Amino acid sequence: MADTDASIGYGITFEMADLATPTDMTYIAEVKDVTPPSDETDQADASHMQSPNRSREFIDGLTDPGEASFEMNYVPGSPSDKALIAAKGKRKWCRLTFPNGVQTLFVGSRQTYEKSAPLDDVMTATVTFKVSGDPVHTDPTAPRNISAPTITGTAKVGAPLVVDPGIWAGSMRLEYQWKAAAAAITGATGLSYVPVAGDIGDTITCEVTAYNEDFNTMVASAATAAVIA
């Protein structure tokens, strides 16, 4: 029996843009459960006096492209909150990117932005877009970096540096390679690196490479200050 190709939804991203600037996408952070657009085609009754065997006949009518929705962690005043508030009454280009790089793009109008702030649980919001027209479904695309990797910590011998890999769309896994003065550090392939005496005077960077089944994309962090003793 062949192995399944099933996967979990972890890594899906949602972005939206004004119709006039479709490539200027705004990333919506902390999205959780996602429901992609689902269409439904009306059936028009085409029965007539000679319909075979006195049975009704139907033909395809118009297709309703349905809705797209997602649940997210609600952070009042965040860039995502402000973007969703500003989307009221506007048609948006929306883009869902799945971990394997497949994208679903559609024109949508924000219908609901329903927020919940319970006493003893995480604040959440549910967002619904009414889809207009036929969504576009792409073949797998290369991983796309939305927010660049960054290094935190002090560049000092014995003091750990930690990389935040940033935000990626269309990525199934990430790999890391730390570098000193642009040269790869042997064995330094994790989320952190502790500078050694041989690094003194060198700047440290970390290359993050995102992979899906067909493609990979590498982005390097900005360099630290020169390592000190």
Side-chain angles (χ1 to χ4, degrees), residues 13 15 76 99 116 122 164 171 226:
T13 58
E15 301 163 274
S116 175
V122 173
D164 177 340
S171 170

Side-chain angles (χ1 to χ4, degrees), residues 37-42 61-67 130-135:
S38 299
D39 59 52
E40 180 179 357
T41 302
D42 292 335
L62 296 178
T63 296
D64 184 340
E67 299 173 348
K130 179 60 182 175
V131 181
S132 178
D134 202 18

Side-chain angles (χ1 to χ4, degrees), residues 80-118:
S80 295
D81 178 41
K82 292 178 180 178
L84 288 167
I85 291 172
K88 179 181 178 181
K90 298 177 182 177
R91 286 157 56 88
K92 294 282 189 177
W93 262 115
C94 300
R95 175 166 60 190
L96 280 171
T97 306
F98 297 90
N100 65 353
V102 170
Q103 300 178 75
T104 296
L105 300 102
F106 58 92
V107 174
S109 299
R110 201 213 75 193
Q111 281 186 299
T112 62
Y113 183 25
E114 183 178 354
K115 304 144 194 171
S116 175

Side-chain angles (χ1 to χ4, degrees), residues 109-161:
S109 299
R110 201 213 75 193
Q111 281 186 299
T112 62
Y113 183 25
E114 183 178 354
K115 304 144 194 171
S116 175
L119 171 66
D120 57 353
D121 205 349
V122 173
M123 293 191 293
T124 61
T126 300
V127 182
T128 304
F129 282 84
K130 179 60 182 175
V131 181
S132 178
D134 202 18
V136 176
H137 306 283
T138 74
D139 289 330
T141 56
R144 192 164 36 83
N145 182 248
I146 295 174
S147 173
T150 56
I151 295 174
T152 57
T154 301
K156 182 178 180 180
V157 172
L161 299 172

Side-chain angles (χ1 to χ4, degrees), residues 115-228:
K115 304 144 194 171
S116 175
L119 171 66
D120 57 353
D121 205 349
V122 173
M123 293 191 293
T124 61
T126 300
V127 182
T128 304
F129 282 84
K130 179 60 182 175
V131 181
S132 178
D134 202 18
V136 176
H137 306 283
T138 74
D139 289 330
T141 56
R144 192 164 36 83
N145 182 248
I146 295 174
S147 173
T150 56
I151 295 174
T152 57
T154 301
K156 182 178 180 180
V157 172
L161 299 172
V162 178
V163 64
D164 177 340
I167 303 296
W168 291 87
S171 170
M172 302 179 77
R173 64 184 176 90
L174 301 175
E175 292 185 358
Y176 309 92
Q177 177 61 63
W178 292 83
K179 291 189 170 185
I185 302 170
T186 302
T189 56
L191 283 168
S192 61
Y193 173 68
V194 179
V196 298
D199 297 326
I200 292 175
D202 294 339
T203 58
I204 304 295
T205 57
C206 185
E207 291 181 348
V208 180
T209 304
Y211 294 83
N212 58 35
E213 293 175 346
D214 300 289
F215 304 99
N216 65 81
T217 303
M218 186 277 290
V219 174
S221 71
T224 66
V227 175
I228 59 176

Side-chain angles (χ1 to χ4, degrees), residues 12 14 28-35 68-74 84 113-116 121-128:
I12 291 174
F14 179 87
I28 303 300
E30 304 209 32
V31 168
K32 300 197 285 187
D33 295 330
V34 175
T35 302
S69 64
F70 57 84
E71 186 175 323
M72 62 184 289
N73 290 329
Y74 173 52
L84 288 167
Y113 183 25
E114 183 178 354
K115 304 144 194 171
S116 175
D121 205 349
V122 173
M123 293 191 293
T124 61
T126 300
V127 182
T128 304

